[in-house]
Structures are given as structure tokens and as C-alpha cells.
mmCIF file of all heavy atoms in Angstrom:
data_model
loop_
_atom_site.group_PDB
_atom_site.id
_atom_site.type_symbol
_atom_site.label_atom_id
_atom_site.label_comp_id
_atom_site.label_asym_id
_atom_site.label_seq_id
_atom_site.Cartn_x
_atom_site.Cartn_y
_atom_site.Cartn_z
ATOM 1 N N HIS R 1 0.862 -1.180 0.000
ATOM 2 C CA HIS R 1 0.000 0.000 0.000
ATOM 3 C C HIS R 1 0.900 1.232 0.000
ATOM 4 O O HIS R 1 1.904 1.267 0.719
ATOM 5 C CB HIS R 1 -0.887 0.018 1.250
ATOM 6 C CG HIS R 1 -1.787 -1.169 1.361
ATOM 7 N ND1 HIS R 1 -3.021 -1.219 0.747
ATOM 8 C CD2 HIS R 1 -1.632 -2.345 2.004
ATOM 9 C CE1 HIS R 1 -3.593 -2.386 1.025
ATOM 10 N NE2 HIS R 1 -2.766 -3.083 1.781
ATOM 11 N N SER R 2 0.514 2.244 -0.790
ATOM 12 C CA SER R 2 1.321 3.458 -0.858
ATOM 13 C C SER R 2 0.440 4.654 -1.203
ATOM 14 O O SER R 2 -0.762 4.514 -1.400
ATOM 15 C CB SER R 2 2.452 3.301 -1.881
ATOM 16 O OG SER R 2 1.942 3.059 -3.165
ATOM 17 N N GLU R 3 1.083 5.807 -1.278
ATOM 18 C CA GLU R 3 0.426 7.071 -1.587
ATOM 19 C C GLU R 3 -0.711 7.395 -0.620
ATOM 20 O O GLU R 3 -1.868 7.531 -1.022
ATOM 21 C CB GLU R 3 -0.055 7.098 -3.047
ATOM 22 C CG GLU R 3 1.068 6.999 -4.041
ATOM 23 C CD GLU R 3 0.614 7.093 -5.489
ATOM 24 O OE1 GLU R 3 -0.538 7.518 -5.745
ATOM 25 O OE2 GLU R 3 1.419 6.742 -6.362
ATOM 26 N N PRO R 4 -0.372 7.549 0.672
ATOM 27 C CA PRO R 4 -1.415 7.927 1.632
ATOM 28 C C PRO R 4 -1.846 9.377 1.432
ATOM 29 O O PRO R 4 -1.048 10.234 1.050
ATOM 30 C CB PRO R 4 -0.719 7.745 2.986
ATOM 31 C CG PRO R 4 0.731 7.958 2.702
ATOM 32 C CD PRO R 4 0.944 7.446 1.305
ATOM 33 N N GLY R 5 -3.105 9.610 1.692
ATOM 34 C CA GLY R 5 -3.644 10.960 1.631
ATOM 35 C C GLY R 5 -5.085 10.960 2.072
ATOM 36 O O GLY R 5 -5.814 10.015 1.788
ATOM 37 N N ASN R 6 -5.473 11.964 2.780
ATOM 38 C CA ASN R 6 -6.844 12.080 3.286
ATOM 39 C C ASN R 6 -7.264 10.840 4.060
ATOM 40 O O ASN R 6 -8.397 10.373 3.944
ATOM 41 C CB ASN R 6 -7.829 12.361 2.155
ATOM 42 C CG ASN R 6 -7.565 13.698 1.503
ATOM 43 O OD1 ASN R 6 -7.213 14.657 2.176
ATOM 44 N ND2 ASN R 6 -7.722 13.755 0.195
ATOM 45 N N GLY R 7 -6.319 10.257 4.825
ATOM 46 C CA GLY R 7 -6.644 9.148 5.708
ATOM 47 C C GLY R 7 -6.729 7.778 5.077
ATOM 48 O O GLY R 7 -7.221 6.850 5.702
ATOM 49 N N ALA R 8 -6.270 7.631 3.836
ATOM 50 C CA ALA R 8 -6.345 6.333 3.169
ATOM 51 C C ALA R 8 -5.161 6.174 2.211
ATOM 52 O O ALA R 8 -4.570 7.161 1.777
ATOM 53 C CB ALA R 8 -7.646 6.206 2.390
ATOM 54 N N TYR R 9 -4.834 4.930 1.892
ATOM 55 C CA TYR R 9 -3.860 4.665 0.842
ATOM 56 C C TYR R 9 -4.574 4.739 -0.502
ATOM 57 O O TYR R 9 -5.702 4.272 -0.643
ATOM 58 C CB TYR R 9 -3.229 3.278 1.022
ATOM 59 C CG TYR R 9 -2.240 3.213 2.157
ATOM 60 C CD1 TYR R 9 -2.495 2.443 3.285
ATOM 61 C CD2 TYR R 9 -1.047 3.923 2.103
ATOM 62 C CE1 TYR R 9 -1.587 2.383 4.326
ATOM 63 C CE2 TYR R 9 -0.129 3.867 3.144
ATOM 64 C CZ TYR R 9 -0.404 3.100 4.251
ATOM 65 O OH TYR R 9 0.495 3.048 5.287
ATOM 66 N N HIS R 10 -3.898 5.302 -1.501
ATOM 67 C CA HIS R 10 -4.518 5.481 -2.818
ATOM 68 C C HIS R 10 -3.904 4.597 -3.896
ATOM 69 O O HIS R 10 -4.377 4.614 -5.030
ATOM 70 C CB HIS R 10 -4.453 6.950 -3.229
ATOM 71 C CG HIS R 10 -5.254 7.813 -2.315
ATOM 72 N ND1 HIS R 10 -6.625 7.899 -2.379
ATOM 73 C CD2 HIS R 10 -4.882 8.593 -1.274
ATOM 74 C CE1 HIS R 10 -7.066 8.703 -1.438
ATOM 75 N NE2 HIS R 10 -6.037 9.140 -0.751
ATOM 76 N N ARG R 11 -2.890 3.841 -3.545
ATOM 77 C CA ARG R 11 -2.299 2.918 -4.515
ATOM 78 C C ARG R 11 -2.051 1.588 -3.810
ATOM 79 O O ARG R 11 -1.633 1.552 -2.654
ATOM 80 C CB ARG R 11 -0.995 3.480 -5.059
ATOM 81 C CG ARG R 11 -0.290 2.494 -5.986
ATOM 82 C CD ARG R 11 0.830 3.156 -6.686
ATOM 83 N NE ARG R 11 0.251 3.637 -7.951
ATOM 84 C CZ ARG R 11 0.963 4.137 -8.931
ATOM 85 N NH1 ARG R 11 2.243 4.284 -8.809
ATOM 86 N NH2 ARG R 11 0.372 4.500 -10.044
ATOM 87 N N ARG R 12 -2.315 0.515 -4.569
ATOM 88 C CA ARG R 12 -2.084 -0.831 -4.025
ATOM 89 C C ARG R 12 -1.500 -1.707 -5.120
ATOM 90 O O ARG R 12 -2.062 -1.821 -6.209
ATOM 91 C CB ARG R 12 -3.395 -1.429 -3.508
ATOM 92 C CG ARG R 12 -3.196 -2.806 -2.908
ATOM 93 C CD ARG R 12 -4.459 -3.346 -2.329
ATOM 94 N NE ARG R 12 -5.375 -3.668 -3.424
ATOM 95 C CZ ARG R 12 -6.629 -4.008 -3.252
ATOM 96 N NH1 ARG R 12 -7.146 -4.054 -2.053
ATOM 97 N NH2 ARG R 12 -7.390 -4.304 -4.280
ATOM 98 N N TRP R 13 -0.380 -2.323 -4.793
ATOM 99 C CA TRP R 13 0.234 -3.314 -5.674
ATOM 100 C C TRP R 13 0.024 -4.672 -5.022
ATOM 101 O O TRP R 13 0.230 -4.818 -3.816
ATOM 102 C CB TRP R 13 1.731 -3.025 -5.842
ATOM 103 C CG TRP R 13 2.437 -4.057 -6.656
ATOM 104 C CD1 TRP R 13 2.647 -4.025 -8.002
ATOM 105 C CD2 TRP R 13 2.997 -5.291 -6.190
ATOM 106 N NE1 TRP R 13 3.304 -5.163 -8.398
ATOM 107 C CE2 TRP R 13 3.531 -5.959 -7.299
ATOM 108 C CE3 TRP R 13 3.102 -5.906 -4.942
ATOM 109 C CZ2 TRP R 13 4.162 -7.196 -7.209
ATOM 110 C CZ3 TRP R 13 3.723 -7.128 -4.838
ATOM 111 C CH2 TRP R 13 4.240 -7.759 -5.975
ATOM 112 N N THR R 14 -0.397 -5.664 -5.792
ATOM 113 C CA THR R 14 -0.573 -7.011 -5.249
ATOM 114 C C THR R 14 0.197 -8.011 -6.099
ATOM 115 O O THR R 14 0.347 -7.832 -7.308
ATOM 116 C CB THR R 14 -2.063 -7.424 -5.205
ATOM 117 O OG1 THR R 14 -2.606 -7.350 -6.515
ATOM 118 C CG2 THR R 14 -2.855 -6.532 -4.266
ATOM 119 N N GLY R 15 0.681 -9.035 -5.437
ATOM 120 C CA GLY R 15 1.408 -10.092 -6.122
ATOM 121 C C GLY R 15 1.406 -11.355 -5.289
ATOM 122 O O GLY R 15 0.757 -11.432 -4.244
ATOM 123 N N LYS R 16 2.167 -12.326 -5.756
ATOM 124 C CA LYS R 16 2.258 -13.591 -5.025
ATOM 125 C C LYS R 16 3.722 -13.880 -4.730
ATOM 126 O O LYS R 16 4.614 -13.274 -5.323
ATOM 127 C CB LYS R 16 1.617 -14.714 -5.824
ATOM 128 C CG LYS R 16 2.244 -14.987 -7.171
ATOM 129 C CD LYS R 16 1.454 -16.042 -7.924
ATOM 130 C CE LYS R 16 2.045 -16.415 -9.245
ATOM 131 N NZ LYS R 16 2.581 -15.390 -10.072
ATOM 132 N N PHE R 17 3.957 -14.805 -3.817
ATOM 133 C CA PHE R 17 5.327 -15.170 -3.482
ATOM 134 C C PHE R 17 6.046 -15.557 -4.768
ATOM 135 O O PHE R 17 5.509 -16.294 -5.597
ATOM 136 C CB PHE R 17 5.363 -16.326 -2.495
ATOM 137 C CG PHE R 17 5.000 -15.942 -1.073
ATOM 138 C CD1 PHE R 17 4.474 -14.713 -0.747
ATOM 139 C CD2 PHE R 17 5.191 -16.850 -0.057
ATOM 140 C CE1 PHE R 17 4.145 -14.383 0.560
ATOM 141 C CE2 PHE R 17 4.873 -16.540 1.255
ATOM 142 C CZ PHE R 17 4.351 -15.303 1.566
ATOM 143 N N GLY R 18 7.232 -15.050 -4.935
ATOM 144 C CA GLY R 18 7.999 -15.272 -6.148
ATOM 145 C C GLY R 18 8.018 -14.042 -7.046
ATOM 146 O O GLY R 18 8.914 -13.887 -7.866
ATOM 147 N N ASP R 19 7.023 -13.150 -6.900
ATOM 148 C CA ASP R 19 7.003 -11.906 -7.660
ATOM 149 C C ASP R 19 8.018 -10.926 -7.074
ATOM 150 O O ASP R 19 8.410 -11.038 -5.912
ATOM 151 C CB ASP R 19 5.619 -11.258 -7.630
ATOM 152 C CG ASP R 19 4.581 -12.032 -8.414
ATOM 153 O OD1 ASP R 19 4.960 -12.912 -9.214
ATOM 154 O OD2 ASP R 19 3.378 -11.762 -8.210
ATOM 155 N N THR R 20 8.402 -9.950 -7.860
ATOM 156 C CA THR R 20 9.286 -8.882 -7.399
ATOM 157 C C THR R 20 8.433 -7.680 -7.033
ATOM 158 O O THR R 20 7.639 -7.199 -7.844
ATOM 159 C CB THR R 20 10.296 -8.503 -8.502
ATOM 160 O OG1 THR R 20 11.063 -9.672 -8.812
ATOM 161 C CG2 THR R 20 11.228 -7.404 -8.040
ATOM 162 N N VAL R 21 8.594 -7.200 -5.797
ATOM 163 C CA VAL R 21 7.809 -6.071 -5.295
ATOM 164 C C VAL R 21 8.522 -4.773 -5.675
ATOM 165 O O VAL R 21 9.677 -4.566 -5.293
ATOM 166 C CB VAL R 21 7.643 -6.134 -3.762
ATOM 167 C CG1 VAL R 21 6.797 -4.968 -3.266
ATOM 168 C CG2 VAL R 21 7.044 -7.466 -3.337
ATOM 169 N N PRO R 22 7.853 -3.870 -6.403
ATOM 170 C CA PRO R 22 8.465 -2.583 -6.762
ATOM 171 C C PRO R 22 8.313 -1.584 -5.614
ATOM 172 O O PRO R 22 7.301 -0.897 -5.495
ATOM 173 C CB PRO R 22 7.659 -2.155 -7.992
ATOM 174 C CG PRO R 22 6.301 -2.763 -7.761
ATOM 175 C CD PRO R 22 6.544 -4.052 -7.018
ATOM 176 N N VAL R 23 9.308 -1.512 -4.760
ATOM 177 C CA VAL R 23 9.262 -0.614 -3.600
ATOM 178 C C VAL R 23 9.628 0.801 -4.081
ATOM 179 O O VAL R 23 10.731 1.015 -4.583
ATOM 180 C CB VAL R 23 10.217 -1.082 -2.489
ATOM 181 C CG1 VAL R 23 10.167 -0.138 -1.304
ATOM 182 C CG2 VAL R 23 9.875 -2.512 -2.061
ATOM 183 N N PRO R 24 8.708 1.762 -3.926
ATOM 184 C CA PRO R 24 8.957 3.115 -4.444
ATOM 185 C C PRO R 24 9.871 3.952 -3.545
ATOM 186 O O PRO R 24 10.343 3.482 -2.502
ATOM 187 C CB PRO R 24 7.548 3.707 -4.519
ATOM 188 C CG PRO R 24 6.787 3.013 -3.452
ATOM 189 C CD PRO R 24 7.383 1.624 -3.366
ATOM 190 N N GLU R 25 10.059 5.198 -3.929
ATOM 191 C CA GLU R 25 10.821 6.162 -3.124
ATOM 192 C C GLU R 25 10.218 6.228 -1.725
ATOM 193 O O GLU R 25 9.022 6.030 -1.573
ATOM 194 C CB GLU R 25 10.764 7.557 -3.770
ATOM 195 C CG GLU R 25 11.445 7.631 -5.100
ATOM 196 C CD GLU R 25 12.960 7.528 -5.012
ATOM 197 O OE1 GLU R 25 13.524 7.721 -3.912
ATOM 198 O OE2 GLU R 25 13.573 7.239 -6.027
ATOM 199 N N PRO R 26 11.012 6.438 -0.707
ATOM 200 C CA PRO R 26 12.402 6.870 -0.740
ATOM 201 C C PRO R 26 13.403 5.723 -0.891
ATOM 202 O O PRO R 26 14.609 5.955 -0.882
ATOM 203 C CB PRO R 26 12.592 7.563 0.600
ATOM 204 C CG PRO R 26 11.700 6.792 1.523
ATOM 205 C CD PRO R 26 10.498 6.409 0.668
ATOM 206 N N PHE R 27 12.937 4.503 -1.029
ATOM 207 C CA PHE R 27 13.839 3.360 -1.137
ATOM 208 C C PHE R 27 14.202 3.052 -2.588
ATOM 209 O O PHE R 27 15.352 2.827 -2.914
ATOM 210 C CB PHE R 27 13.227 2.116 -0.473
ATOM 211 C CG PHE R 27 12.925 2.337 0.973
ATOM 212 C CD1 PHE R 27 11.627 2.538 1.405
ATOM 213 C CD2 PHE R 27 13.943 2.353 1.909
ATOM 214 C CE1 PHE R 27 11.353 2.746 2.739
ATOM 215 C CE2 PHE R 27 13.685 2.559 3.249
ATOM 216 C CZ PHE R 27 12.378 2.757 3.667
ATOM 217 N N ALA R 28 13.218 2.995 -3.462
ATOM 218 C CA ALA R 28 13.395 2.780 -4.897
ATOM 219 C C ALA R 28 14.258 1.554 -5.210
ATOM 220 O O ALA R 28 15.355 1.671 -5.732
ATOM 221 C CB ALA R 28 13.962 4.026 -5.556
ATOM 222 N N PHE R 29 13.719 0.384 -4.887
ATOM 223 C CA PHE R 29 14.387 -0.864 -5.248
ATOM 224 C C PHE R 29 13.337 -1.931 -5.489
ATOM 225 O O PHE R 29 12.162 -1.737 -5.192
ATOM 226 C CB PHE R 29 15.392 -1.306 -4.175
ATOM 227 C CG PHE R 29 14.774 -1.791 -2.898
ATOM 228 C CD1 PHE R 29 14.528 -3.148 -2.700
ATOM 229 C CD2 PHE R 29 14.430 -0.905 -1.886
ATOM 230 C CE1 PHE R 29 13.957 -3.596 -1.524
ATOM 231 C CE2 PHE R 29 13.863 -1.351 -0.706
ATOM 232 C CZ PHE R 29 13.630 -2.698 -0.523
ATOM 233 N N GLU R 30 13.772 -3.053 -6.028
ATOM 234 C CA GLU R 30 12.871 -4.181 -6.246
ATOM 235 C C GLU R 30 13.194 -5.261 -5.227
ATOM 236 O O GLU R 30 14.352 -5.653 -5.077
ATOM 237 C CB GLU R 30 13.018 -4.704 -7.670
ATOM 238 C CG GLU R 30 12.528 -3.703 -8.686
ATOM 239 C CD GLU R 30 12.534 -4.245 -10.096
ATOM 240 O OE1 GLU R 30 13.137 -5.308 -10.347
ATOM 241 O OE2 GLU R 30 11.920 -3.591 -10.954
ATOM 242 N N LEU R 31 12.175 -5.725 -4.529
ATOM 243 C CA LEU R 31 12.330 -6.720 -3.474
ATOM 244 C C LEU R 31 11.997 -8.103 -4.026
ATOM 245 O O LEU R 31 10.866 -8.358 -4.432
ATOM 246 C CB LEU R 31 11.394 -6.385 -2.302
ATOM 247 C CG LEU R 31 11.355 -7.365 -1.146
ATOM 248 C CD1 LEU R 31 12.707 -7.415 -0.435
ATOM 249 C CD2 LEU R 31 10.256 -6.973 -0.166
ATOM 250 N N ALA R 32 13.006 -8.967 -4.052
ATOM 251 C CA ALA R 32 12.788 -10.345 -4.502
ATOM 252 C C ALA R 32 12.085 -11.121 -3.402
ATOM 253 O O ALA R 32 12.404 -10.974 -2.225
ATOM 254 C CB ALA R 32 14.122 -10.994 -4.839
ATOM 255 N N THR R 33 11.111 -11.946 -3.776
ATOM 256 C CA THR R 33 10.324 -12.676 -2.779
ATOM 257 C C THR R 33 10.288 -14.172 -3.059
ATOM 258 O O THR R 33 9.293 -14.831 -2.797
ATOM 259 C CB THR R 33 8.891 -12.133 -2.712
ATOM 260 O OG1 THR R 33 8.249 -12.398 -3.958
ATOM 261 C CG2 THR R 33 8.861 -10.652 -2.399
ATOM 262 N N SER R 34 11.362 -14.714 -3.533
ATOM 263 C CA SER R 34 11.370 -16.148 -3.846
ATOM 264 C C SER R 34 11.519 -17.023 -2.614
ATOM 265 O O SER R 34 11.263 -18.220 -2.672
ATOM 266 C CB SER R 34 12.496 -16.455 -4.830
ATOM 267 O OG SER R 34 13.750 -16.112 -4.266
ATOM 268 N N GLU R 35 11.899 -16.454 -1.491
ATOM 269 C CA GLU R 35 12.195 -17.245 -0.308
ATOM 270 C C GLU R 35 11.115 -17.310 0.782
ATOM 271 O O GLU R 35 11.226 -18.141 1.670
ATOM 272 C CB GLU R 35 13.494 -16.738 0.346
ATOM 273 C CG GLU R 35 14.704 -16.863 -0.554
ATOM 274 C CD GLU R 35 15.006 -18.301 -0.942
ATOM 275 O OE1 GLU R 35 14.867 -19.204 -0.092
ATOM 276 O OE2 GLU R 35 15.361 -18.516 -2.108
ATOM 277 N N PRO R 36 10.081 -16.454 0.806
ATOM 278 C CA PRO R 36 9.122 -16.533 1.912
ATOM 279 C C PRO R 36 8.477 -17.904 2.008
ATOM 280 O O PRO R 36 8.184 -18.545 0.998
ATOM 281 C CB PRO R 36 8.073 -15.482 1.589
ATOM 282 C CG PRO R 36 8.735 -14.554 0.653
ATOM 283 C CD PRO R 36 9.726 -15.387 -0.119
ATOM 284 N N LEU R 37 8.259 -18.333 3.220
ATOM 285 C CA LEU R 37 7.613 -19.623 3.463
ATOM 286 C C LEU R 37 6.138 -19.411 3.754
ATOM 287 O O LEU R 37 5.756 -18.452 4.407
ATOM 288 C CB LEU R 37 8.274 -20.327 4.637
ATOM 289 C CG LEU R 37 9.757 -20.660 4.465
ATOM 290 C CD1 LEU R 37 10.304 -21.278 5.745
ATOM 291 C CD2 LEU R 37 9.965 -21.590 3.292
ATOM 292 N N ARG R 38 5.325 -20.326 3.305
ATOM 293 C CA ARG R 38 3.897 -20.275 3.586
ATOM 294 C C ARG R 38 3.615 -20.981 4.892
ATOM 295 O O ARG R 38 4.343 -21.874 5.302
ATOM 296 C CB ARG R 38 3.127 -20.940 2.447
ATOM 297 C CG ARG R 38 3.385 -20.192 1.148
ATOM 298 C CD ARG R 38 2.323 -20.205 0.154
ATOM 299 N NE ARG R 38 0.969 -20.211 0.619
ATOM 300 C CZ ARG R 38 -0.040 -20.565 -0.163
ATOM 301 N NH1 ARG R 38 0.167 -20.946 -1.392
ATOM 302 N NH2 ARG R 38 -1.262 -20.534 0.290
ATOM 303 N N TYR R 39 2.534 -20.573 5.542
ATOM 304 C CA TYR R 39 2.079 -21.289 6.724
ATOM 305 C C TYR R 39 1.610 -22.670 6.282
ATOM 306 O O TYR R 39 1.081 -22.822 5.180
ATOM 307 C CB TYR R 39 0.907 -20.568 7.396
ATOM 308 C CG TYR R 39 1.259 -19.254 8.055
ATOM 309 C CD1 TYR R 39 0.372 -18.191 8.008
ATOM 310 C CD2 TYR R 39 2.443 -19.085 8.757
ATOM 311 C CE1 TYR R 39 0.650 -16.985 8.619
ATOM 312 C CE2 TYR R 39 2.727 -17.886 9.379
ATOM 313 C CZ TYR R 39 1.832 -16.843 9.309
ATOM 314 O OH TYR R 39 2.117 -15.648 9.923
ATOM 315 N N PRO R 40 1.752 -23.669 7.145
ATOM 316 C CA PRO R 40 1.226 -24.991 6.798
ATOM 317 C C PRO R 40 -0.296 -24.921 6.631
ATOM 318 O O PRO R 40 -0.963 -24.136 7.277
ATOM 319 C CB PRO R 40 1.579 -25.856 7.999
ATOM 320 C CG PRO R 40 2.538 -25.078 8.818
ATOM 321 C CD PRO R 40 2.408 -23.635 8.427
ATOM 322 N N ALA R 41 -0.819 -25.754 5.772
ATOM 323 C CA ALA R 41 -2.270 -25.806 5.555
ATOM 324 C C ALA R 41 -2.951 -26.215 6.857
ATOM 325 O O ALA R 41 -2.460 -27.076 7.594
ATOM 326 C CB ALA R 41 -2.600 -26.805 4.455
ATOM 327 N N ASP R 42 -4.084 -25.582 7.122
ATOM 328 C CA ASP R 42 -4.868 -25.906 8.312
ATOM 329 C C ASP R 42 -5.567 -27.246 8.086
ATOM 330 O O ASP R 42 -6.396 -27.379 7.207
ATOM 331 C CB ASP R 42 -5.878 -24.816 8.591
ATOM 332 C CG ASP R 42 -6.682 -25.101 9.843
ATOM 333 O OD1 ASP R 42 -6.064 -25.184 10.918
ATOM 334 O OD2 ASP R 42 -7.899 -25.243 9.716
ATOM 335 N N ARG R 43 -5.229 -28.217 8.879
ATOM 336 C CA ARG R 43 -5.806 -29.553 8.696
ATOM 337 C C ARG R 43 -7.167 -29.697 9.332
ATOM 338 O O ARG R 43 -7.847 -30.673 9.098
ATOM 339 C CB ARG R 43 -4.841 -30.604 9.252
ATOM 340 C CG ARG R 43 -3.531 -30.612 8.490
ATOM 341 C CD ARG R 43 -2.552 -31.525 9.136
ATOM 342 N NE ARG R 43 -1.256 -31.294 8.548
ATOM 343 C CZ ARG R 43 -0.447 -32.221 8.126
ATOM 344 N NH1 ARG R 43 -0.778 -33.475 8.232
ATOM 345 N NH2 ARG R 43 0.711 -31.922 7.614
#
């Protein structure tokens, strides 16, 4: 979530594990997400 204003975020990027997250300024880099682990399935 990014671009807050008037009490809400105005931009949302969504993806899945393995996608690269485009982190905007002030950081301005791409976050690789190939390593996150999922929670085990609820049996």
C-alpha cells in the first residue's frame, strides 16, 4: 500500500510469493520474494 492521503492509501500493488515487489521512493528498489515460506495448511 502506498500514496497515503486524506486518511487512506490510494495505490495498491498485489502479487504472489515469487514476484518482485516494486518498492517506491524513498527506497526505490525491487524486493525479490522467492524465499518466503507459507504457513502450513490448516488440517
